[in-house]
Amino acid sequence: MVNQIVTSFGGESQIWLSKKSYFRTILVATDIWKGFGWGSIIYISAMSSIDPQLYEAASLDGAGRFRRMFHITIPCLIPVITINLILSMGGILNAGFDQIFNLTNSSVKSVADIIDTYVYELGIQQRDYSLSTAVGLFKSVIAMFMVLLTNFIAKKINGEDYTLW
């Protein structure tokens, strides 16, 4: 589809996933697209729990759409934003194994290799189970440390009501 758009404007069609310069951009864009639906569900459900009387009172006081957003919606979403941030810190080292495994080819291998694919290659392809287990465990320990650190920082900034424990 992208090649059809490019050629309709006079450009040349390309094999996008075989170019190192485009691979990371495509990977980030598809990852954002993949997570957009779930994030929308979370934030729309959190916004539906905001008391409508707050918006009515603000509009009676003369607050416009942006003022209501900055003074009502965003402060009411701070707990959800904080919890999502804490939980996403656990997956900060996860770059989407399935996505990279499916999109990688030999021409972009040097820019597409991540910890998860390295563990896969060590454990499954090279049968070096001890090293692959150690690398996976190290990644998990770092992820746990990131969750604990983010929870601690959120507790210091926002108080205990906005943290996991």
Side-chain angles (χ1 to χ4, degrees), residues 59-97:
S59 62
L60 286 175
D61 288 341
R65 177 174 283 172
F66 287 108
R67 186 161 292 218
R68 283 181 282 177
M69 180 180 65
F70 285 116
H71 293 286
I72 297 171
T73 307
I74 293 177
C76 289
L77 289 178
I78 291 292
V80 175
I81 292 169
T82 305
I83 296 297
N84 276 339
L85 176 67
I86 293 169
L87 293 175
S88 66
M89 281 297 130
I92 197 165
L93 294 178
N94 292 337
F97 171 77

Side-chain angles (χ1 to χ4, degrees), residues 3 12 39 53 72-74 91-92 97 101-102 105 124 159:
N3 277 332
E12 262 184 57
Q53 292 178 356
I72 297 171
T73 307
I74 293 177
I92 197 165
F97 171 77
F101 186 72
N102 290 321
N105 54 48
I124 302 297

Side-chain angles (χ1 to χ4, degrees), residues 73-162:
T73 307
I74 293 177
C76 289
L77 289 178
I78 291 292
V80 175
I81 292 169
T82 305
I83 296 297
N84 276 339
L85 176 67
I86 293 169
L87 293 175
S88 66
M89 281 297 130
I92 197 165
L93 294 178
N94 292 337
F97 171 77
D98 54 345
Q99 189 176 13
I100 290 177
F101 186 72
N102 290 321
L103 295 177
T104 301
N105 54 48
S106 60
S107 60
V108 294
K109 179 89 169 131
S110 62
V111 296
D113 210 11
I114 59 171
I115 296 173
D116 293 332
T117 56
Y118 178 67
V119 168
Y120 172 77
E121 288 172 6
L122 280 176
I124 302 297
Q125 294 175 345
Q126 298 175 10
R127 292 189 173 105
D128 190 356
Y129 303 122
S130 59
L131 183 59
S132 67
T133 303
V135 172
L137 179 65
F138 179 74
K139 183 184 140 206
S140 298
V141 168
I142 296 297
M144 184 183 73
F145 174 74
M146 292 298 293
V147 168
L148 293 173
L149 179 69
T150 308
N151 192 61
F152 176 76
I153 291 170
K155 189 181 290 187
K156 289 293 181 187
I157 292 173
N158 295 327
E160 290 196 24
D161 293 337
Y162 300 109

Side-chain angles (χ1 to χ4, degrees), residues 32-49 77 80-81 84:
I32 290 171
W33 181 257
K34 182 178 72 171
F36 189 74
W38 179 250
S40 297
I41 291 170
I42 296 293
Y43 288 110
I44 289 172
S45 65
M47 286 179 3
S48 70
S49 68
L77 289 178
V80 175
I81 292 169
N84 276 339

Side-chain angles (χ1 to χ4, degrees), residues 18-36:
S18 68
K19 301 207 183 257
K20 293 179 183 179
S21 58
Y22 296 129
F23 185 77
R24 289 184 182 147
T25 305
I26 292 170
L27 190 67
V28 169
T30 56
D31 193 49
I32 290 171
W33 181 257
K34 182 178 72 171
F36 189 74

